[in-house]
Amino acid sequence: MSASFSSFTIALLLQSAATPVAAPTASLSPVAHPEIWPTANARPSRDPKVEARIDAILKRMSVADKIGQLIQVDIASIEPSDLRTYKLGSILNGGNSGPGGNDLAPPVEWLKLADQFYEASMARTDGRPAIPVIWGTDAVHGNNNIPGATLFPHNIGLGATRDRDLMREIGHVTAIETAAAGIDWTFAPTLAVVRDDRWGRTYESYSEEPTIQADFAGAVIEGVQGKVGTKEFLAPDRVIATTKHFLGDGGTGGRDQGDARIPETALRDIHLGGYPSAIEAGTQSVMASFSSWNGAKMHGNKSLLTGVLKDRLHFDGFVVGDWNGHGQVDGCSNESCAAAINAGLDMFMYSGSGWKTLYDNTLKQAQSGEIPAARLDDAVRRILRVKIRAGTFDRGRPSSRALAGKMTLIGAADHRAIARRAVRESMVLLKNEGGLLPLKPSANILVAGVGADDVAQQAGGWSLTWQGTGLTNANFPNAETIWSGISTAVKTAGGTATLSADGSFAKKPDAAIVVFGEQPYAEFKGDRPNLEYSPDDKSDLELLRKLKAAGVPVVAVFLSGRPLWVNAEMNASDAFVAAFLPGTEGGGVADVLFRKKDGSVANDFRGKLSFSWPKRPDQYVLNRSDPGYDPLFQFGYGLTYAKPSAVPKLDEARPAGMAASSNGTIFGKGRVPEGWSLTLVEQDQSKVRLLGANATTATKRLTASAVDRRRQEDARALVWAGGPADARVEASGPLDLTRESNGELSLVVDVRVDRAGSAPVNLGMVSNDGKAVTVPITKTLAAGKPGEWQQVIVPLQCFAKRGIDMAHVTAPFVIATDGKLGLSMSDVKIDSAPVPMTKCGD
Ligand code: BGC
Ligand code: BGC
């Protein structure tokens, strides 16, 4: 990248001059040639009894019944009673959906709801076969949506363990804690091979190299589902697994839901990674990727979904879509997409109020032959096969199943012990000057840093909530923070441990452990423009430096979802540990950092990097096989107590041209991101760029001046004297906001009306074809109290719907009126609305 501007971390990796997108070339085609792909060694053995049972059921199903099986709906969009009428195949809980709209509902509520959905699905009096609904959930690091569950380290940490057997145990524990809540199916493991660490889902990946996925996949699947061909397979203490996201999700240039522009051989040799072993181990579902390959969305790619996955690799389970991903296929909408089914998708994953429309449309497409009958039957056959194999036809309602309701299994001591072992094995020792580690537990230890006593931060995204944010330690019963683990270890050995987030102390400690790192995020919210750690806030660095300056030996424990450029932080620490996102068992950290009481090593470090560590922030494509590979720490690096090694002083200078990033901020703290401009415009297009605090347009229709809200000159007062004029923020190049407008993000503007308007006021955006769209905010502004700050929130979808090209937005914020108006603004952001918002302005 490079670029003058690299800001706007909320995934706004600009497809601007600064970050050119490879032009489509003739050699990069989205059509695969199955014959050049590997074929799985063993075809899954089909049980003739199961197949005969499928035949018998299929025969009695109506076309409408069959369509129902193809649809999965998020529990936030459907009631159990709907399944009395609509015989849908599946439900899921999205990352932000819990029973009754409560993300934090206790396990019994999940089970109760599972029963209600199941019973409604089985209620039938018309003589047609009753087919049990199955419930899928993202149990991606333990059954992470349910309070009290054991949360394992995210996959990036597990990759560092290189411990295949541990993966099997983790898979099994996850299955047990999922089954206990009455849930049938997990959307895990993710087998993405992430090649560009700017991607917000890097932590969901075991490694940048496919060998680790290939090694782990079979073991995880066996853990979750039990071993094929044995009595374990889909026994009551197992659940259905998903291998996701097929295919090339890790190859999209660091952009969520992006486009992998790579040759077919790279897609095969890098990204197929663990799929063959997952299929051999019997993964029962595969999730299609949101992303594209050479310009075409995976949900519509027949050559890959059918040609490679089903025909060549002999996958005989079903392909589930990803969160309305079918709606992104050319010519499709969320409510209509025969193309995806025809390409080989077997089940739509749907969220929203229009699932009945999806059902009606798909039914019509089947009746008209647009979806061929054979394709429909094949999809249903696959879904029924999995349901039968998983015992859902025979085990009765969820609460009557062997493990369901045994809530003490959720967060059970032996499960937590496995997670704690995983934490010990996943940490990677990057630096240990003078053999500072392991520490003596009888010493006087200061524990500092914002991450020291915060389960949510150590657990990361996909923890209770989708983003893993908005939580306190109280939301995680059964969990232990890193601080708590240290405190117990030190106290037991007769030492003193003190928690002091800001690092202040009365008596100089023997050593300080500083726990800090990334705040939780998931999916596109974690996309970054480069790998600089915390570009806007250097308080962790200051804390490390302050302690070092006071002569205190410093151990840094770094929490992150990916390798980041931390040269300065590393220079300011004597020892530096990459702990990734360890989950709920923070005690595992102390297990490795401290000696035994007798002075011997308790647990040596075992973790080895499964992602290369950058020496510069612009090294986000940093994989062994890439040309010019020059990491700070290479793939496989990891010190031990037995084999120490020195780390020299590191270069702290940002490469020229690297700007600070700004977390979705369009205007904040009195500034726009570097390279952007706040501009005042009169209708005759005389533009004035507001460089300093104050400016006026040519004919003085609009004047801006600096005012204070929370701090000096952090806001701007805008005064319209009358006559069309607007204030706008222009980006340094076109922004691609398609991903953002596809989620729940809004344009969020903090304003204060200083003088009521005399004409309508509009909020808008402009794209680089010159098109401007607006929504009216006149009444919204008038409803606020004069002189008081208020938030105006407009979902990004509103601008998209009005026809602007969201892939090339040049001005993400425009406020305009023809009349007189006095208005101050302090913050303009692209963010989630504090309250769900669907209204487009007034
Ligand atoms: C994610 C999937 C996830 C699904 C259901 C999607 O946004 O990409 O990984 O399984 O949501 O929550
Ligand atoms: C859901 C997630 C889903 C995501 C997709 C969220 O609202 O909770 O499960 O993965 O949207 O963007």
Side-chain angles (χ1 to χ4, degrees), residues 74 92-97 103 138 145 187 201 244-245 256-257 290 322-324 328 349 351 462 465-467 522-524 739 742-744:
D74 179 34
L92 85 147
N93 64 288
N96 279 336
S97 332
D103 239 352
D138 290 285
N145 284 292
F187 303 131
R201 305 190 80 159
K244 73 185 187 186
H245 310 81
D256 193 47
Q257 300 191 5
F290 263 133
D322 193 356
W323 202 261
N324 295 336
Q328 296 184 31
M349 182 188 285
S351 151
W462 297 107
T465 61
W466 177 40
Q467 293 295 323
E523 300 188 41
F524 67 96
R739 177 61 184 104
N742 179 18
E744 300 98 40

Side-chain angles (χ1 to χ4, degrees), residues 644-664:
S645 167
V647 174
K649 189 162 188 308
L650 305 172
D651 185 1
E652 299 187 10
R654 264 191 197 137
M658 286 262 319
S661 72
S662 64
N663 274 313

